[in-house]
Amino acid sequence: MNITSPFPLIDPHIHMTSRTTDDYEAMRRAGIVAIIEPAFWMGQPRTEAGTFKDYYSHLIGFERFRSSQFGIKHYCTIGLNSKEANNEALAEQVMELLPLYVAKEGVVGVGEIGYDDQTAAEDKYYRLQLEIAKDVNLPVQIHTPHRDKKKGTLRSMEVALEHGIDPGMVIVDHNNEETVKDVLDRGFWAAFTIYPHTKMGNERMVEIVKQYGPERIMINSAADWGISDPLAVPKTVALMLERGIPEEQVRLVSYGNALAAFGQSGQMPESDWLEAQPVDQSQKFSGSSILRGGQTPRIDEPNTPTSNIIR
Amino acid sequence: MPTADQESVKNFLTELLTRATTPQGITWLEKQLAEAQTESKFFQAFSTVPRFVGKKKLEVTETDIATAEALRPGFNPQGWTADQVARTLLALSLPHQSPEEYVKTLDKLFATADVNELVALYAALPILPYPEKLVPRMAEGVRTNMTLVFEAVALQNPYPHDYLPEEAWNQLVLKSIFTSRPLYRIYGLENRRNLKLTQTLSDFAHERWAAGRTLSPEVWRNVGPFVDETIWPDIQKLFTQPNELEQQAAALVCAESNFPEAKTMLETVPDLKAKIASGELTWNTIGEAVAAQSV
Ligand SMILES: [Zn+2]
């Protein structure tokens, strides 16, 4: 399938650490110019605080580099995820690490945090992280639970309000038909994850936008190490356009709203990708560094960034 | 080993920064310098620098370069950005009564730094307190996989020349060659030429030639004093290469060598010999020509 969006796209929730360079290439081709990678679960629980540190460093370091190599601007959100908040001894140490990372350049929020099993420990660390977000004035990206979703979603929002956080600073993720109204009614941002087969499919997403309009709604792929699709955003965009949703509305849910919501961090100016040229000059200079002996350097168009990675 | 007087360096950098940021940026930084006494406050200030100080490139005059050089040989802030200067000032102002404590805090900063922070830190190493304690850190920098960070380590930075052991130094030069960094911008390259590096480079040249490929003429900058019967055929071959810069490099190698055949060979290229004598042809002119070609 060859999808190309008529306008630039942002995928505000994708775990590229688990993806390949083919994905980056396909995403760029399909029109994705910027992505947000929330700190989350690696599939197996971490047992040492040091592995969190390396993971956070990876998000602000190598993954950002790798992404730039394919002309995609990479941002991240930093947080202790709900699943791993249940290992309290570890969680305590991770909380000490967070202040070192949340204020870094390109960190556009505290996330993804919230509830998984909705335990007391999850509640404790969710609240502590809301306070950090308030301290550094960053948006919050909330992961809502798979099980008992509706209750978990409502609780996430109530607790955020309890901590005096403006709903306009909170992106509630993984919504569905059952949660969207509550989220929008309370003034929060509602993000939808388009998974193949499950969760929010493309078709259902079209219907939601038709019903609720584009305001404060955004779509993402949440692609990670599981069966997921890094092209979920461009594919859904194509379907929305095909189904007659006006282009301005499609633009909002696939670009404008993510930019407005996470842009409140002050860390995600549109100029980062619209004026990528000056940033690329040094990258272009090092264009041959990903090559192995004997390979021919790829000659890029002036506006296409090349590698900035030395091996 | 050269060290810098930190107070003079701070004054100099503050002056440069004043020209590259707003008065509000300076006020913010002064406040941080006064208040960032706890580690976590310091870390946060270090990270948030660009939001308040901006990232403008410094405008550095010839006088500035001379001042920097006088403050610390090889120190050259040309190409530095406002945020980089502010971060350097923060790092210079960290309490450092105890070298152990200072290095520990610096290690923490390195371990959690992003690219721009790493660039600032590595470029600042030659002017930071206790530079002799930071050798393992710089050797780690040589191993980085990020181009911008490697450039901060290898180019226009006197620290590797002054402090790195031979093994790490040779790695730095080899990595620069493999990744097409401009060798003429490596501070003090000539002083640290050595036989081992020369042998490695000769092997490298054979490998490239066997694969039917060329290599940068700058590579030969490292070999002049070590030409012997083993290396000499490489230089002879270099004279026959079609690229004029390679012939120039061969002539420069001969001019720097005491090997008899090399001396004889130089006589056969009187025009190159004259250009070398007049200073018209140097390793830097070759380096600049190579850089101009590869942009
Ligand atoms: Zn996720």
Side-chain angles (χ1 to χ4, degrees), chain A residues 40 80-86 112-116 122 143:
Chain A
F40 193 52
L80 167 67
N81 72 78
S82 48
K83 268 179 196 279
E84 285 167 287
N86 289 307
E112 45 185 316
I113 59 173
Y115 297 107
D116 185 52
E122 289 173 16
H143 164 91

Side-chain angles (χ1 to χ4, degrees), chain A residues 131-167:
Chain A
E131 287 300 316
I132 291 180
K134 241 169 54 178
D135 257 9
V136 289
N137 198 22
L138 282 181
V140 178
Q141 188 174 26
I142 290 181
H143 164 91
T144 53
H146 308 277
R147 300 170 297 278
D148 205 0
K149 181 180 276 293
K150 182 144 193 188
K151 203 172 113 219
T153 305
L154 290 172
R155 187 169 168 200
S156 312
M157 291 192 288
E158 274 160 22
V159 172
L161 293 173
E162 240 176 72
H163 282 260
I165 293 182
D166 172 3

Side-chain angles (χ1 to χ4, degrees), chain B residues 167-199:
Chain B
E167 201 187 341
W169 171 264
N170 287 355
Q171 268 312 318
L172 181 148
V173 176
L174 282 176
K175 197 159 168 175
S176 301
I177 291 168
F178 270 82
T179 58
S180 309
R181 298 304 97 187
L183 298 197
Y184 74 100
R185 290 182 58 209
I186 297 178
Y187 178 84
L189 190 70
E190 261 83 1
N191 295 333
R192 300 225 38 193
R193 301 191 277 200
N194 58 77
L195 180 61
K196 218 170 156 198
L197 181 59
T198 298
Q199 288 163 342

Side-chain angles (χ1 to χ4, degrees), chain A residues 13-15 37-41 112 141 143 173-174 193 195 220 222-224:
Chain A
H13 188 150
I14 184 164
H15 300 283
E37 175 152 7
F40 193 52
W41 167 249
E112 45 185 316
Q141 188 174 26
H143 164 91
D173 223 319
H174 313 310
T193 296
Y195 279 149
N220 64 55
D224 57 16

Side-chain angles (χ1 to χ4, degrees), chain B residues 48-275:
Chain B
T48 46
V49 159
R51 293 180 213 178
F52 301 95
V53 172
K55 297 165 124 182
K56 207 171 145 202
K57 238 190 192 144
L58 296 189
E59 279 169 37
V60 177
T61 64
E62 290 299 323
T63 318
D64 296 329
I65 292 173
T67 308
E69 176 71 29
L71 285 169
R72 198 278 184 223
F75 170 41
N76 178 0
Q78 203 166 21
W80 284 29
T81 51
D83 54 324
Q84 184 178 358
V85 178
R87 282 178 170 149
T88 305
L89 283 165
L90 278 165
L92 281 167
S93 304
L94 253 185
H96 52 268
Q97 283 75 14
S98 139
E100 285 72 31
E101 287 298 309
Y102 186 72
V103 171
K104 223 171 108 189
T105 308
L106 219 51
D107 276 343
K108 238 187 211 176
L109 198 55
F110 268 101
T112 56
D114 70 14
V115 179
N116 292 335
E117 293 172 346
L118 286 174
V119 165
L121 287 169
Y122 278 115
L125 280 201
I127 50 172
L128 292 186
Y130 311 115
E132 70 285 353
K133 302 263 181 224
L134 305 171
V135 172
R137 174 56 61 192
M138 190 47 114
E140 184 64 34
V142 174
R143 287 191 284 270
T144 182
N145 61 356
M146 298 176 190
T147 306
L148 290 179
V149 180
F150 184 74
E151 288 190 341
V153 165
L155 306 183
Q156 202 179 295
N157 187 339
Y159 190 96
H161 167 269
D162 294 343
Y163 292 98
L164 278 191
E166 185 172 288
E167 201 187 341
W169 171 264
N170 287 355
Q171 268 312 318
L172 181 148
V173 176
L174 282 176
K175 197 159 168 175
S176 301
I177 291 168
F178 270 82
T179 58
S180 309
R181 298 304 97 187
L183 298 197
Y184 74 100
R185 290 182 58 209
I186 297 178
Y187 178 84
L189 190 70
E190 261 83 1
N191 295 333
R192 300 225 38 193
R193 301 191 277 200
N194 58 77
L195 180 61
K196 218 170 156 198
L197 181 59
T198 298
Q199 288 163 342
T200 310
L201 292 176
S202 171
D203 289 346
F204 170 60
H206 295 171
E207 213 178 279
R208 299 282 287 221
W209 285 334
R213 303 173 57 211
T214 56
L215 65 166
S216 164
E218 274 200 293
V219 166
W220 304 100
R221 184 174 187 145
N222 292 280
V223 308
F226 303 97
V227 175
D228 56 15
E229 1 4 298
T230 329
I231 306 291
W232 178 241
D234 294 351
I235 309 305
Q236 283 178 301
K237 184 175 167 89
L238 205 54
F239 268 112
T240 68
Q241 294 291 306
N243 179 353
E244 201 192 326
L245 290 174
E246 290 186 277
Q247 295 158 28
Q248 291 181 1
L252 273 168
V253 170
C254 290
E256 289 171 341
S257 164
N258 288 321
F259 193 65
E261 277 92 329
K263 286 185 162 313
T264 318
M265 181 66 107
L266 191 58
E267 298 306 324
T268 66
V269 284
D271 51 327
L272 291 179
K273 189 187 171 193
K275 278 186 182 169

Side-chain angles (χ1 to χ4, degrees), chain B residues 29-48:
Chain B
L29 182 65
E30 278 168 354
K31 190 160 177 271
Q32 304 308 311
L33 289 171
E35 287 174 7
Q37 291 304 324
T38 67
E39 219 183 52
S40 66
K41 277 219 150 171
F42 167 75
F43 288 142
Q44 190 156 332
F46 194 79
S47 284
T48 46

